[in-house]
């Protein structure tokens, strides 16, 4: 930071209505609750957004408190690099990491990718999510989205063969990836894998619960399997090589873009395909993740498309094509 004034941190909880409802195997919701961090120094303000994830015991209130508790450390000189060792991976660190990087780029008059020495993101195709429901409801949703080149299908366990067959019938040309969100069991795993293979699914996310996925190393995997809940940061990669073919990198899990980029480098060195994913959130959450897209085989940054409205100045979406952020939004 070049300003002589110490940075000032502000944070708040925001609520964003979802268009309809968003349902996965663990339940549904009608709004996205995000926490925004803003770090101001001199005339510049950096912003970052995170989504606390109940799956890992995070709440918006605790995340907000964790962010605000960092004020004195920032005044004392804590920067983005020091943050990695000072705060554990998770939503709070993500918001602050992205805010500090945004601030650093604005003060330096650079784009974030230039600052980091990374390739500039380009327009790319994002998946569009079909929520879990009855085969009939999912087929109707797939029919409406059948012109999109990449669909992500939320599944939930028993009956998933009927669901994925119904979706494929209504979206015959779309590439399909599915996300079981840990809902499959050893009893239905191979049956569900066969159902996905039969309709040409390209990738399956997290079929078994994290910590109970050893069976994936002992069976034939007719479709590539992607780790989501089983992978968080670089330290978790090595143990996944026999069970998974790809990993889903989400900034809220990794604890920010700094770790996510390092994680992507490490994962590719180990032979994993990369998927960049998101929670349901605004474009402020998606914008930093765009820096991962040059390395990603799969991009799933459709969070704003699932909202009733995005924040002003959000990312540009043209159908399923998402464009890099303007500097006014982030980075």
């Amino acid at each position: 930071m070049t300003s002589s004034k110490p940075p000032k941190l502000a944070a708040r909880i925001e609520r964003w209505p979802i268009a309809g409802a968003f349902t996965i195997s663990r339940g549904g919701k009608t709004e996205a609750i995000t926490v925004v961090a803003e770090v101001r120094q001199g005339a510049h303000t950096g912003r970052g957004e995170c989504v606390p994830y109940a799956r890992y015991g995070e709440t918006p209130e605790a995340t907000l408190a964790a962010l605000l508790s960092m004020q004195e450390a920032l005044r004392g000189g804590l920067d983005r690099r020091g943050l990695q060792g000072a705060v554990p991976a998770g939503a709070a660190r993500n918001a602050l990491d992205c805010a500090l990087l945004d601030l650093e780029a604005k003060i330096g008059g650079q784009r974030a990718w230039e600052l980091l020495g990374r390739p500039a993101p380009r327009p790319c195709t994002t998946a569009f999510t079909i929520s879990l429901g009855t085969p009939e409801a999912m087929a109707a949703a797939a029919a409406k989205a059948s012109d999109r080149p990449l669909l992500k299908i939320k599944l939930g366990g028993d009956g998933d063969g009927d669901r994925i067959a119904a979706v494929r019938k209504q979206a015959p040309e779309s590439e399909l990836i599915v996300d079981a969100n840990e809902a499959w069991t050893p009893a239905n795993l191979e049956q569900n894998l066969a159902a996905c293979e039969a309709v040409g699914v390209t990738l399956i996310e997290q079929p078994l619960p994290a910590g109970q996925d050893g069976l994936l190393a002992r069976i034939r995997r007719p479709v590539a399997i992607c780790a989501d809940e089983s992978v968080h940061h670089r330290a978790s990669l090595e143990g996944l090589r026999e069970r998974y073919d790809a990993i889903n990198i989400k900034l809220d899990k990794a604890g920010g873009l700094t770790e996510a980029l390092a994680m992507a480098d490490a994962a590719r060195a180990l032979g994993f395909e990369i998927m960049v994913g998101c929670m349901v959130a605004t474009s402020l959450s998606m914008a930093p993740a765009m820096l991962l897209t040059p390395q990603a085989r799969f991009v799933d940054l459709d969070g704003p498309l699932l909202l009733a409205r995005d924040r002003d100045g959000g990312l540009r979406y043209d159908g399923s094509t998402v464009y890099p952020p303007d500097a006014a939004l982030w980075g």
Side-chain angles (χ1 to χ4, degrees):
M1 307 298 181
T2 59
S3 172
S4 60
K5 295 181 179 180
K8 294 182 179 180
L9 171 65
R12 62 183 178 275
I13 295 172
E14 296 183 346
R15 296 177 181 271
W16 298 87
I18 291 172
F22 180 77
T23 304
I24 65 172
S25 63
R26 284 190 287 271
K29 59 183 181 179
T30 58
E31 65 176 0
I33 304 176
T34 71
V35 182
V36 174
E38 294 183 343
V39 182
R40 178 176 298 175
Q41 190 164 30
H44 301 282
T45 299
R47 300 188 299 166
E49 178 182 270
C50 68
V51 180
Y53 198 3
R55 168 69 173 76
Y56 303 119
E58 297 178 329
T59 66
E61 294 76 17
T63 300
L64 178 65
L67 282 168
L68 294 175
S69 72
M70 299 303 295
Q71 177 68 80
E72 289 306 313
L74 289 173
R75 289 180 176 275
L78 181 71
D79 62 9
R80 180 173 55 87
R81 296 154 191 82
L83 178 68
Q84 309 309 307
V87 178
R93 195 178 81 185
N94 175 33
L96 189 52
D97 179 73
C98 291
L100 289 171
L101 182 53
D102 186 30
L103 178 63
E104 196 174 339
K106 286 179 167 59
I107 289 175
Q110 295 178 283
R111 297 309 308 266
W113 50 87
E114 296 170 337
L115 182 68
L116 295 169
R118 293 279 174 166
R122 298 179 179 275
C124 58
T125 297
T126 179
F128 181 80
T129 302
I130 304 295
S131 285
L132 176 65
T134 64
E136 295 76 16
M138 295 180 72
K144 293 179 181 178
S146 62
D147 60 335
R148 294 183 180 273
L150 179 62
L151 297 179
K152 177 172 174 173
I153 314 303
K154 291 290 188 177
L155 297 180
D158 292 335
D160 279 348
D162 293 336
R163 293 184 179 99
I164 195 63
V167 166
R168 172 53 85 197
K169 184 175 181 180
Q170 297 300 322
E173 302 301 323
S174 301
E175 183 177 13
L176 301 182
I177 57 180
V178 306
D179 187 0
N181 284 116
E182 305 179 282
W184 292 357
T185 68
N188 63 29
L189 175 63
E190 292 188 83
Q191 177 184 351
N192 285 333
L193 287 174
C196 289
E197 181 185 23
V199 299
V201 168
T202 302
L203 186 76
I204 298 170
E205 281 187 74
Q206 199 67 44
L208 298 175
Q212 302 174 41
D213 53 3
L215 181 59
L216 295 174
R218 303 192 298 273
I219 65 168
R220 184 180 78 90
R221 301 197 297 268
V223 180
I225 307 295
C226 179
D228 185 355
E229 286 85 353
S230 286
V231 64
H232 294 263
H233 38 67
R234 279 172 288 174
S236 59
L237 289 173
E238 183 65 39
L240 302 179
R241 297 178 71 182
E242 300 300 318
R243 287 169 277 166
Y244 294 96
D245 309 290
I247 63 163
N248 188 346
I249 301 177
K250 295 177 179 175
L251 270 60
D252 283 312
K253 287 190 305 174
L257 181 61
T258 300
E259 173 61 24
L261 288 168
M263 186 178 174
D265 293 341
R268 291 190 70 186
L270 290 171
F272 289 108
E273 293 272 20
I274 303 296
M275 178 178 185
V276 52
C278 69
M279 307 296 283
V280 183
T282 80
S283 285
L284 184 56
S285 282
M286 308 302 124
M290 286 293 295
L291 273 70
L292 289 160
T293 61
Q295 298 185 72
R297 164 65 176 86
F298 300 97
V299 175
D300 178 26
L301 297 178
D302 66 340
L305 298 179
L306 306 176
L307 299 177
R309 66 177 183 88
D310 193 8
R311 68 175 66 248
D312 293 341
L315 292 176
R316 175 188 168 198
Y317 288 87
D318 181 6
S320 289
T321 301
V322 56
Y323 290 79
D326 292 335
L329 173 65
W330 184 87

